[in-house]
Amino acid sequence: MRPTPAEMREFPYDTTSSAFPDKKLLVCAAPRASSKRLARLLLGAGVGVPLEYFNDNSVQALTKRWQIKKQDYLSHIYAKRSANGVFASNIQFPQIQKWPRAHDFAALFEGATVIHLIRDNKLAQAASLATCMVTGRWGFEQATVTKNYSTWRLKLAARKAMQLIAEDEQLWQDWFTQRGIQPLVISTERVNQNDLTLINDIADLLGVSTDAASAQRMLDVDRGAYQGDLELKSRFQALIEELVARG
């Protein structure tokens, strides 16, 4: 079965590792860029235990379960969430802005292999994000229930989603430039291909082996990108195309 983020915060995904991993893999992405799918495929291959570790839900769940404070969080996720010598994490930029200990991210990025995950089709990305913002549903584990929404509310969400995506990409670019980081840029579209070429390429880049059989099983059960409410996404797509045409 494909694990949900909530399941991945539980004890079965804890590991016993050295205090500091041999390799660090950081996937930097905006919302709706298929970072969770990439994480699942990496997990299946044995390349770390990737999760959005600085997402509020993860921080709250793991600090509570491990009975630790935030100042000890980074050392604990290194020790308890590394696999095959790799610590891997998805990161969204607002998580960096919100985290109270800036030096944790300085330490996290030091010596790390960094991926910048970018969705080429920005209109589809904005439509997907706006749909999630309006419905409050962000993943497979939540049932889709179509409701009627007013046009003004949809336009507001569409503008907000477009703004967030544009700002996010610029924030990441500035972050990388200021710190002399040259990320490996990978497209969402490549992540959603139905093969393991990308996962093998990332493993080769890190210099680690993969569990080919486990990786294939994960690929077989993974349902790809979250489709969400297709009818609502279609409405958003039309609205966003109209907004872009108007400039």
Side-chain angles (χ1 to χ4, degrees), residues 10-186:
E10 297 300 326
F11 172 76
Y13 289 90
D14 285 356
T15 62
T16 302
S17 307
S18 60
F20 195 84
D22 296 327
K23 313 278 185 178
K24 292 182 289 185
L25 175 66
L26 305 178
V27 179
C28 305
R32 320 319 299 167
S34 294
S35 59
K36 289 185 177 67
R37 172 174 165 87
L38 178 56
R40 293 191 297 269
L41 296 178
L42 289 167
L43 174 72
V47 183
V49 187
L51 185 66
E52 267 186 36
Y53 284 105
F54 293 89
N55 172 294
D56 283 343
N57 293 329
S58 296
V59 173
Q60 291 169 11
L62 293 176
T63 54
K64 180 179 180 180
R65 185 163 63 77
W66 293 336
Q67 297 184 334
I68 60 171
K69 296 180 179 180
K70 283 186 177 180
Q71 57 260 41
D72 300 318
Y73 188 64
L74 187 60
S75 62
H76 274 71
I77 57 176
Y78 281 159
K80 293 180 178 292
R81 288 303 178 110
S82 297
N84 199 14
V86 178
F87 172 76
S89 180
N90 289 352
I91 304 172
Q92 294 189 7
F93 201 85
Q95 295 163 7
I96 294 178
Q97 295 172 313
K98 188 174 182 179
W99 190 248
R101 297 166 56 82
H103 59 277
D104 280 346
F105 276 103
L108 184 64
F109 274 84
E110 185 177 1
T113 296
V114 179
I115 290 173
H116 190 193
L117 188 56
I118 294 178
R119 188 164 177 174
D120 293 335
N121 190 334
K122 294 293 190 292
L123 295 185
Q125 184 178 12
S128 178
L129 177 57
T131 299
C132 294
M133 291 166 59
V134 167
T135 62
R137 296 188 300 273
W138 297 82
F140 291 107
E141 61 272 18
Q142 298 163 307
T144 298
V145 180
T146 301
K147 296 182 180 179
N148 292 320
Y149 300 96
S150 63
T151 301
W152 73 264
R153 185 178 179 187
L154 297 185
K155 285 185 177 180
L156 184 65
R159 291 191 181 96
K160 180 70 171 176
M162 292 168 64
Q163 179 184 0
L164 287 173
I165 290 168
E167 289 178 350
D168 186 279
E169 191 158 318
Q170 189 59 55
L171 286 167
W172 277 124
Q173 294 288 0
D174 292 346
W175 171 270
F176 298 142
T177 300
Q178 291 165 8
R179 289 156 182 81
I181 296 171
Q182 294 184 321
L184 172 64
V185 178
I186 293 175

